[in-house]
mmCIF file of all heavy atoms in Angstrom:
data_model
loop_
_atom_site.group_PDB
_atom_site.id
_atom_site.type_symbol
_atom_site.label_atom_id
_atom_site.label_comp_id
_atom_site.label_asym_id
_atom_site.label_seq_id
_atom_site.Cartn_x
_atom_site.Cartn_y
_atom_site.Cartn_z
ATOM 1 N N VAL A 355 -17.243 23.584 14.704
ATOM 2 C CA VAL A 355 -15.975 22.760 14.991
ATOM 3 C C VAL A 355 -14.910 23.088 13.931
ATOM 4 O O VAL A 355 -13.717 23.153 14.324
ATOM 5 C CB VAL A 355 -16.352 21.241 14.984
ATOM 6 C CG1 VAL A 355 -15.053 20.497 14.947
ATOM 7 C CG2 VAL A 355 -17.148 20.958 16.276
ATOM 8 N N THR A 356 -15.325 23.308 12.682
ATOM 9 C CA THR A 356 -14.280 23.467 11.678
ATOM 10 C C THR A 356 -13.766 24.871 11.664
ATOM 11 O O THR A 356 -12.754 25.226 11.024
ATOM 12 C CB THR A 356 -14.813 23.095 10.279
ATOM 13 O OG1 THR A 356 -16.052 23.761 10.119
ATOM 14 C CG2 THR A 356 -15.021 21.601 10.110
ATOM 15 N N LEU A 357 -14.452 25.789 12.343
ATOM 16 C CA LEU A 357 -14.034 27.220 12.330
ATOM 17 C C LEU A 357 -12.553 27.380 12.816
ATOM 18 O O LEU A 357 -11.752 28.012 12.110
ATOM 19 C CB LEU A 357 -14.997 28.029 13.182
ATOM 20 C CG LEU A 357 -14.942 29.528 12.885
ATOM 21 C CD1 LEU A 357 -15.401 29.800 11.433
ATOM 22 C CD2 LEU A 357 -15.927 30.217 13.805
ATOM 23 N N PRO A 358 -12.208 26.871 14.004
ATOM 24 C CA PRO A 358 -10.828 27.020 14.503
ATOM 25 C C PRO A 358 -9.833 26.354 13.573
ATOM 26 O O PRO A 358 -8.750 26.964 13.380
ATOM 27 C CB PRO A 358 -10.813 26.280 15.901
ATOM 28 C CG PRO A 358 -12.143 25.919 16.159
ATOM 29 C CD PRO A 358 -13.090 26.195 15.011
ATOM 30 N N VAL A 359 -10.215 25.218 12.920
ATOM 31 C CA VAL A 359 -9.325 24.598 11.988
ATOM 32 C C VAL A 359 -9.031 25.478 10.784
ATOM 33 O O VAL A 359 -7.922 25.669 10.353
ATOM 34 C CB VAL A 359 -9.972 23.288 11.456
ATOM 35 C CG1 VAL A 359 -9.042 22.598 10.532
ATOM 36 C CG2 VAL A 359 -10.238 22.334 12.635
ATOM 37 N N PHE A 360 -10.127 26.137 10.342
ATOM 38 C CA PHE A 360 -10.003 27.065 9.274
ATOM 39 C C PHE A 360 -9.051 28.222 9.560
ATOM 40 O O PHE A 360 -8.165 28.552 8.829
ATOM 41 C CB PHE A 360 -11.356 27.602 8.865
ATOM 42 C CG PHE A 360 -11.356 28.665 7.820
ATOM 43 C CD1 PHE A 360 -11.102 28.347 6.523
ATOM 44 C CD2 PHE A 360 -11.420 29.993 8.257
ATOM 45 C CE1 PHE A 360 -11.061 29.387 5.635
ATOM 46 C CE2 PHE A 360 -11.385 30.996 7.352
ATOM 47 C CZ PHE A 360 -11.208 30.649 6.013
ATOM 48 N N VAL A 361 -9.229 28.735 10.794
ATOM 49 C CA VAL A 361 -8.433 29.928 11.222
ATOM 50 C C VAL A 361 -6.977 29.460 11.292
ATOM 51 O O VAL A 361 -6.034 30.168 10.764
ATOM 52 C CB VAL A 361 -8.868 30.359 12.576
ATOM 53 C CG1 VAL A 361 -7.863 31.415 13.129
ATOM 54 C CG2 VAL A 361 -10.201 31.013 12.504
ATOM 55 N N ALA A 362 -6.750 28.247 11.811
ATOM 56 C CA ALA A 362 -5.388 27.699 11.850
ATOM 57 C C ALA A 362 -4.777 27.488 10.508
ATOM 58 O O ALA A 362 -3.611 27.876 10.258
ATOM 59 C CB ALA A 362 -5.414 26.332 12.617
ATOM 60 N N VAL A 363 -5.668 27.051 9.555
ATOM 61 C CA VAL A 363 -5.112 26.845 8.220
ATOM 62 C C VAL A 363 -4.745 28.101 7.572
ATOM 63 O O VAL A 363 -3.651 28.268 6.970
ATOM 64 C CB VAL A 363 -6.192 26.150 7.337
ATOM 65 C CG1 VAL A 363 -5.783 26.194 5.874
ATOM 66 C CG2 VAL A 363 -6.381 24.683 7.755
ATOM 67 N N ILE A 364 -5.582 29.235 7.752
ATOM 68 C CA ILE A 364 -5.134 30.381 7.035
ATOM 69 C C ILE A 364 -4.215 31.238 7.748
ATOM 70 O O ILE A 364 -3.589 32.076 7.174
ATOM 71 C CB ILE A 364 -6.317 31.249 6.391
ATOM 72 C CG1 ILE A 364 -7.363 31.588 7.380
ATOM 73 C CG2 ILE A 364 -6.879 30.658 5.238
ATOM 74 C CD1 ILE A 364 -8.411 32.446 6.702
ATOM 75 N N THR A 365 -4.048 31.033 9.080
ATOM 76 C CA THR A 365 -2.972 31.784 9.732
ATOM 77 C C THR A 365 -1.683 31.002 9.523
ATOM 78 O O THR A 365 -0.594 31.600 9.819
ATOM 79 C CB THR A 365 -3.252 31.956 11.241
ATOM 80 O OG1 THR A 365 -3.706 30.777 11.684
ATOM 81 C CG2 THR A 365 -4.138 33.102 11.511
ATOM 82 N N GLY A 366 -1.736 29.750 9.173
ATOM 83 C CA GLY A 366 -0.574 28.978 9.081
ATOM 84 C C GLY A 366 0.422 29.568 8.091
ATOM 85 O O GLY A 366 0.058 30.299 7.155
ATOM 86 N N ARG A 367 1.726 29.279 8.213
ATOM 87 C CA ARG A 367 2.721 29.967 7.490
ATOM 88 C C ARG A 367 2.639 29.362 5.990
ATOM 89 O O ARG A 367 3.188 29.945 5.102
ATOM 90 C CB ARG A 367 4.135 29.697 8.112
ATOM 91 C CG ARG A 367 5.067 30.827 7.683
ATOM 92 C CD ARG A 367 6.326 30.629 8.387
ATOM 93 N NE ARG A 367 6.271 31.063 9.765
ATOM 94 C CZ ARG A 367 7.156 30.682 10.721
ATOM 95 N NH1 ARG A 367 8.299 30.018 10.386
ATOM 96 N NH2 ARG A 367 7.054 31.089 11.928
ATOM 97 N N ARG A 368 2.167 28.152 5.882
ATOM 98 C CA ARG A 368 2.285 27.562 4.551
ATOM 99 C C ARG A 368 1.462 28.109 3.467
ATOM 100 O O ARG A 368 1.771 28.119 2.362
ATOM 101 C CB ARG A 368 2.048 26.060 4.713
ATOM 102 C CG ARG A 368 3.076 25.285 3.850
ATOM 103 C CD ARG A 368 2.903 23.831 4.063
ATOM 104 N NE ARG A 368 3.059 23.341 5.414
ATOM 105 C CZ ARG A 368 2.894 22.120 5.740
ATOM 106 N NH1 ARG A 368 2.535 21.220 4.925
ATOM 107 N NH2 ARG A 368 3.031 21.816 7.009
ATOM 108 N N ARG A 369 0.329 28.694 3.959
ATOM 109 C CA ARG A 369 -0.504 29.337 2.909
ATOM 110 C C ARG A 369 -0.865 28.488 1.753
ATOM 111 O O ARG A 369 -0.630 28.962 0.546
ATOM 112 C CB ARG A 369 0.125 30.603 2.412
ATOM 113 C CG ARG A 369 0.182 31.782 3.421
ATOM 114 C CD ARG A 369 -1.085 32.369 3.582
ATOM 115 N NE ARG A 369 -1.085 33.354 4.688
ATOM 116 C CZ ARG A 369 -0.779 34.577 4.632
ATOM 117 N NH1 ARG A 369 -0.394 35.092 3.543
ATOM 118 N NH2 ARG A 369 -0.814 35.410 5.710
ATOM 119 N N THR A 370 -1.311 27.296 1.956
ATOM 120 C CA THR A 370 -1.597 26.459 0.800
ATOM 121 C C THR A 370 -2.817 26.994 0.005
ATOM 122 O O THR A 370 -3.046 26.558 -1.107
ATOM 123 C CB THR A 370 -1.963 25.021 1.206
ATOM 124 O OG1 THR A 370 -2.787 25.097 2.391
ATOM 125 C CG2 THR A 370 -0.789 24.255 1.589
ATOM 126 N N TRP A 371 -3.505 27.972 0.619
ATOM 127 C CA TRP A 371 -4.763 28.366 -0.052
ATOM 128 C C TRP A 371 -4.558 29.487 -1.025
ATOM 129 O O TRP A 371 -5.451 29.966 -1.622
ATOM 130 C CB TRP A 371 -5.807 28.805 1.010
ATOM 131 C CG TRP A 371 -5.222 29.656 2.022
ATOM 132 C CD1 TRP A 371 -4.524 29.248 3.176
ATOM 133 C CD2 TRP A 371 -5.245 31.091 2.102
ATOM 134 N NE1 TRP A 371 -4.155 30.310 3.891
ATOM 135 C CE2 TRP A 371 -4.535 31.454 3.290
ATOM 136 C CE3 TRP A 371 -5.717 32.067 1.277
ATOM 137 C CZ2 TRP A 371 -4.322 32.807 3.577
ATOM 138 C CZ3 TRP A 371 -5.595 33.335 1.611
ATOM 139 C CH2 TRP A 371 -4.917 33.696 2.775
#
Side-chain angles (χ1 to χ4, degrees):
Chain A
V355 165
T356 48
L357 199 63
V359 179
F360 171 78
V361 172
V363 167
I364 52 181
T365 41
R367 205 176 285 166
R368 219 176 301 178
R369 292 282 170 92
T370 43
W371 46 278

